[in-house]
Amino acid sequence: MQVHWIWLAHRPGVTDRMKSILLEHFSDPEDIFFAEESAFRGISGLTDHALEGLMDKNLTASEEILDTCDRKGLQILTFSDEHYPQRLKNIADPPMVLYYKGRLPDWDASPVIGIVGTRKASAYGMHMARTLCAQIVSCGALVVSGGAEGIDTMSMLGALEAGGRVIGVLAGGLDK
């Protein structure tokens, strides 16, 4: 079934919001995959481009992603998994699939603080990011950052040095 989640997650022209709407109409991504074109008629906001993406039933790319994840030890968390963050489910356009490595935190039990900063930070800015995030985790929060060089890296380093937990959200993917 993960292959169908990945297929849905990568449909060209289908926004994450539209994927959520489709899941309200169909029981799961497998039902969306096997649906005929007529089953999509009447779904508000579905564009011709999105319909074209949904009618592409080729699973090759999805199977390749599964193989890559398996080879590289990456885990997959789908929108229907019990460990998928409830807070993320409640946004307007949640991602259907999350890829991760490591242990999952209890996303919904702790405050989550997102840190975003510049790559060209001053020495003072980097010191403050490190110090601030050490204090944030000492209060029981998770630190989320993109992990880029500069403020992001110092934030995550400060949190880890203080014994905290961090979540790195990578735009390019874990396999890169």
Side-chain angles (χ1 to χ4, degrees), residues 47-145:
T47 66
D48 289 341
H49 183 53
L51 184 58
E52 184 179 317
L54 292 166
M55 297 318 303
D56 176 1
K57 307 299 185 176
N58 188 337
L59 291 174
T60 303
S62 300
E63 290 165 345
E64 288 172 0
I65 290 171
L66 278 173
D67 288 343
T68 299
C69 289
D70 188 48
R71 277 193 327 274
K72 297 192 177 216
L74 306 177
Q75 303 297 311
I76 299 169
L77 192 63
T78 70
F79 188 78
S80 68
D81 287 332
E82 69 178 281
H83 295 294
Y84 190 97
Q86 193 62 42
R87 290 175 182 159
L88 200 51
K89 279 187 175 184
N90 290 327
I91 67 172
D93 55 352
M96 294 291 109
V97 177
L98 299 173
Y99 303 91
Y100 70 95
K101 195 167 193 169
R103 289 187 323 238
L104 291 175
D106 186 355
W107 310 89
D108 299 314
S110 304
V112 178
I113 306 296
I115 303 293
V116 179
T118 182
R119 291 183 171 145
K120 297 179 181 180
S122 66
Y124 175 75
M126 296 208 304
H127 169 75
M128 289 310 299
R130 195 173 188 167
T131 301
L132 177 64
C133 287
Q135 293 172 350
I136 287 169
V137 299
S138 72
C139 295
L142 292 167
V143 170
V144 177
S145 181

Side-chain angles (χ1 to χ4, degrees), residues 13-33:
V14 185
T15 65
D16 287 333
R17 177 70 189 127
M18 180 50 66
K19 292 168 190 166
S20 295
I21 291 169
L22 288 167
L23 286 171
E24 292 172 8
H25 283 77
F26 297 89
S27 60
D28 57 43
E30 190 171 2
D31 284 348
I32 297 169
F33 178 81

